[in-house]
Amino acid sequence: MSDASPQLTLSRLDEAATFLRSRTAIVPALGIVAGSGLGALAGLVLGRDPAAVRIPYAEIPHALAPTVIGHAGELVIGHLAGLPVAILSGRVHGYEGHGLDEVVFNVRLVARLGAKRFLVTNAAGGVDPWLLPGALCRIVDHLNLTGKNPLVGPNVAALGPRFPDMSRAYDPELGLVLERAAATAGVPLFAGIYAGLSGPSYETPAEIRMLRVLGANLVGMSTVHEVIALSHMGVKVAGLSCVTNHAAGVSSQALDHSEVASTANEAGPRLLALVEGFCALLAEAPGQGESR
Ligand code: HPA
């Protein structure tokens, strides 16, 4: 539940957007949430685009910095493969104890800056045994099993409607662009349904068996609230998971965050190639996926 009134939510977003506009004139066409494994993306853009700017979340009015190791907490705005992008390097998770208003603040901010499309990435456990650690998987839909929704509370009508449609929350057209980028880069790409749970404990084997019955292929502790907030704003979303481990009980191995992080890092170069190819395709056809 949001503790802020609609006016307060909007004025916080607008204050932060005004601050960002004072730092760069670049208007992002695509927002990217760089989860585990995409830590190098921001550096790549900063290294290649002399006009790119790096803004720690701590400097952005009302934005929170993540507390999880491996999540940097900075916004980089610049060009990737010719496309103006805003990269949220690191995210705040609900399990850190923040309100969902705060969890979705940064994605709302980037959408407010002008991004009409988003690529949301994450590390996930593979619910299906055939999803091996290191596999990349396009998210085609999600199950929000966190018991929470960032839109609970008075609707912020300036952002979107009271009852937003979620039937195309992961835009099929943008999904095809991801598929094309994967084929061009020679990166194998699977497709699956992501179950978002609150964490921070990993699931039990019984919970994973339940998720399989529910139709989930992937499991994680992020993404669903961001995607709900972006859908609310009419933003088109592509989702990408890096499978970092077999989910609990799929193999006999115990889960360990450091292994999750190291598998995500190993997949980094493939993720980068895919994301860069995705941006190149969008830059070639800027209107792609813009109509609703
Ligand atoms: N479960 C939940 N979240 C995760 C996992 C998992 O197995 N792997 C990476 N994030």
Side-chain angles (χ1 to χ4, degrees):
M1 160 105 185
S2 163
D3 62 344
S5 68
Q7 291 79 358
L8 190 57
T9 300
L10 261 191
S11 69
R12 283 175 177 164
L13 283 170
D14 287 342
E15 193 187 330
T18 303
F19 166 78
L20 293 180
R21 286 194 191 101
S22 76
R23 298 287 295 269
T24 179
I26 299 171
V27 178
L30 178 76
I32 302 176
V33 180
S36 312
L38 268 181
L41 186 66
L44 188 90
V45 169
L46 284 166
R48 286 196 198 156
D49 178 3
V53 291
R54 173 183 171 272
I55 306 158
Y57 294 163
E59 289 178 18
I60 304 174
H62 312 295
L64 289 178
T67 58
V68 187
I69 295 163
H71 283 259
E74 61 188 25
L75 172 62
V76 168
I77 304 178
H79 292 82
L80 182 61
L83 188 75
V85 295
I87 301 166
L88 291 163
S89 201
R91 54 154 63 87
V92 177
H93 298 79
Y95 62 69
E96 291 172 69
H98 308 296
L100 292 190
D101 238 18
E102 296 168 312
V103 170
V104 301
F105 184 84
N106 286 345
V107 294
R108 278 179 168 162
L109 173 59
V110 168
R112 205 78 182 143
L113 260 191
K116 293 191 169 51
R117 291 171 292 188
F118 245 88
L119 173 64
V120 181
T121 74
N122 59 42
V127 172
D128 291 316
W130 47 267
L131 279 173
L132 303 181
L136 302 185
C137 196
R138 170 167 84 82
I139 304 174
V140 294
D141 206 345
H142 78 215
L143 298 165
N144 174 14
L145 300 175
T146 65
K148 291 188 180 167
N149 188 307
L151 306 181
V152 169
N155 183 43
V156 187
L159 297 183
R162 171 75 295 187
F163 301 110
D165 176 35
M166 292 289 292
S167 56
R168 287 164 63 96
Y170 297 83
D171 184 65
E173 267 184 57
L174 279 184
L176 287 181
V177 179
L178 265 182
E179 294 282 352
R180 280 179 56 209
T184 307
V187 172
L189 183 64
F190 298 92
I193 294 175
Y194 176 92
L197 277 70
S198 81
S201 53
Y202 287 115
E203 304 69 36
T204 63
E207 286 165 342
I208 295 301
R209 285 194 297 276
M210 172 191 75
L211 293 180
R212 201 173 295 133
V213 171
L214 294 182
N217 308 105
L218 304 154
V219 59
M221 306 175 192
S222 66
T223 304
V224 292
H225 299 133
E226 296 158 348
V227 172
I228 292 169
L230 289 168
S231 291
H232 180 232
M233 295 176 79
V235 174
K236 296 205 159 193
V237 175
L240 186 59
S241 284
C242 172
V243 178
T244 49
N245 54 281
H246 284 299
V250 175
S251 81
S252 53
Q253 225 180 319
L255 299 193
D256 173 349
H257 178 67
S258 61
E259 279 171 32
V260 166
S262 72
T263 308
N265 287 336
E266 278 161 32
R270 272 177 300 127
L271 267 170
L272 275 183
L274 181 51
V275 172
E276 208 179 340
F278 179 71
C279 290
L281 287 173
L282 291 183
E284 266 173 32
Q288 189 145 25
E290 261 182 14
S291 62
R292 243 183 127 69

